[in-house]
Amino acid sequence: MSGVNVTRPAMIHLGLAMWANSDWRGSLFAPHGGQEDWLADYAKVFSAVEGNTTFYSGAPKAETVASWARQAPAGFRFCFKLPATLTHERRLSGIDAELDSFLSRLAPLHDRLGPIMVQLPRDFSAQELPQLDRLLTRWPAEIPSAVEVRHSDFFHKGKAEIALNRLLITHGVDRVMLDVRPLFSTSAEADPRLVKAQSEKPKCPLHVISTGERPLIRFIGHLDESINDAYFAPWCERLALWINQGKTPFLFVHTPDNRQAPQLARRLYKQLSRHCTLPPLASFAGDTQTSLF
C-alpha cells in the first residue's frame, strides 16, 4: 500500500482497556492522587476507553453513570461491551427488554457513547447470524455499535465471512479487529505475564476491514517494544487512509498485564503521527515529561 499523507487534523480516538488501574500511579496518574480523580486524569490524555466491566457485571448503577457523565469531557467516548448474559448466555435471542434496559441506563452519557461492542462467543457461527441481524435491525440509530466475532468460519473468506461482512455493511456497523499477533509472536515460557495473557486471549487471525464509519482496533501488544513497532507499522498507513476517507477510527491498546499500556499507546500514537496530522497527546499526570514528543 502506498503512503497516505493527511494534512488536516486527524480524528481518531485512542484509549486503553480500562481507566482505573493502580499500576498507573506515578505514570498516567499522580503518585498520591485519589481514585476519584482517575477518570478525569485518564480523559486528559486519552479520548476513549473500553468498558469491559459491563461484559461481566451488566449495566452500572445509575449514580455511577451520572458520575461518569460529569467527569468525562465532551470529546470523550465510552465503548462498553454488551453484557455476556445477552451475548453468551442468551446468544442474542429474546433480549429486547434487557437490551433496552442496558442502553437506557447508559443514556446520561448520550453523545459520549462510542461504539457499543457486541463480543460474540467463540462458537457463535454463521447459522446464528439471523439473531445478530435482528439485534442490529432494532439497534438505536443514535448509538454506534461494533461486532467482534471469534468463530473460525468468519476468518476463512468463505460464505460465512462474506455473509457477516455484508450484514455489517448493511447496518453500517464496524467489525472489531482484534490484533493478537504481537502477543503470540513468541513463546510465553520466559515470562508469566505472557503465559497468562496468551491463555486469556483468543488466537484469531486478523482480517483488516472497515464495514462502517468507525473502524475499531484492539491491539494486544507484546512486552518487546520492537515487536510492537513491527506489527503496528502497517496499521499506520491503514489508519491514515481511513482518516483521509473521513472515517473515525478507534484504537485500543493492551499489553500482557496492562501495566505498560499507557506508554505503549503513547509510543504507537507517535508512530501514527508520522503518517497523519495528529493533535499532541497531553502529558501523563505522573510524568516528568511535558508532552508526547
Side-chain angles (χ1 to χ4, degrees):
M1 181 192 306
S2 60
V4 177
N5 181 26
V6 179
T7 57
R8 59 183 175 79
M11 190 61 206
I12 182 171
H13 287 289
L14 175 70
L16 310 176
M18 64 199 77
W19 72 75
N21 188 332
S22 60
D23 290 332
W24 299 340
R25 289 181 184 272
S27 58
L28 181 59
F29 306 134
H32 307 295
Q35 293 187 26
E36 66 275 6
D37 299 322
W38 284 0
L39 175 55
D41 285 343
Y42 175 96
K44 290 175 184 175
V45 180
F46 300 107
S47 59
V49 68
E50 287 188 23
N52 290 308
T53 55
T54 56
F55 181 77
Y56 302 101
S57 305
K61 296 179 179 179
E63 56 267 30
T64 301
V65 176
S67 174
W68 295 342
R70 289 192 299 270
Q71 296 179 65
F76 193 82
R77 297 291 181 268
F78 293 92
C79 299
F80 297 104
K81 283 185 180 177
L82 214 58
T85 53
L86 307 186
T87 56
H88 288 55
E89 294 179 21
R90 305 278 288 278
R91 305 182 75 88
L92 306 184
S93 296
I95 64 168
D96 290 2
E98 292 87 346
L99 175 67
D100 292 345
S101 177
F102 176 75
L103 296 178
S104 176
R105 182 62 60 83
L106 301 177
L109 297 171
H110 48 92
D111 60 342
R112 277 160 289 183
L113 284 176
I116 302 296
M117 287 184 276
V118 182
Q119 181 179 297
L120 297 173
R122 300 186 191 198
D123 61 348
F124 190 100
S125 68
Q127 293 181 342
E128 295 179 275
L129 284 180
Q131 287 96 289
L132 178 61
D133 188 16
R134 186 179 185 281
L135 172 75
L136 298 180
T137 296
R138 72 180 304 276
W139 193 276
E142 67 275 12
I143 301 177
S145 62
V147 173
E148 181 175 328
V149 293
R150 297 187 172 184
H151 195 287
S152 61
D153 286 353
F154 297 126
F155 295 93
H156 291 318
K157 299 184 179 180
K159 292 181 179 180
E161 184 168 12
I162 291 171
L164 168 69
N165 291 340
R166 284 178 176 171
L167 188 157
L168 297 179
I169 291 170
T170 297
H171 292 287
V173 170
D174 265 293
R175 177 174 172 173
V176 175
M177 290 162 279
L178 178 65
D179 190 353
V180 296
R181 296 173 303 164
L183 176 64
F184 287 99
S185 63
T186 67
S187 169
E189 297 174 358
D191 195 298
R193 292 171 293 177
L194 288 175
V195 172
K196 186 174 187 296
Q198 289 187 3
S199 69
E200 293 176 345
K201 293 291 187 291
K203 194 175 182 180
C204 294
L206 173 67
H207 285 192
V208 178
I209 183 173
S210 174
T211 54
E213 296 302 313
R214 300 172 183 86
L216 195 155
I217 301 105
R218 301 178 66 217
F219 186 88
I220 317 300
H222 196 277
L223 298 171
D224 187 321
E225 290 183 346
S226 64
I227 291 175
N228 294 327
D229 290 346
Y231 279 103
F232 189 70
W235 278 119
C236 290
E237 291 193 359
R238 178 66 66 168
L239 285 164
L241 173 64
W242 284 332
I243 291 168
N244 201 35
Q245 292 173 341
K247 299 190 177 190
T248 304
F250 283 73
L251 173 62
F252 291 112
V253 178
H254 301 232
T255 56
D257 62 4
N258 280 319
R259 285 191 176 189
Q260 298 302 314
Q263 289 79 8
L264 176 58
R266 182 159 63 177
R267 182 182 182 91
L268 301 185
Y269 190 86
K270 183 176 181 179
Q271 288 186 39
L272 180 58
S273 72
R274 301 189 186 110
H275 294 256
C276 52
T277 304
L278 295 173
L281 204 64
S283 60
F284 296 172
D287 266 356
T288 56
Q289 304 179 56
T290 57
S291 66
L292 171 62
F293 309 124

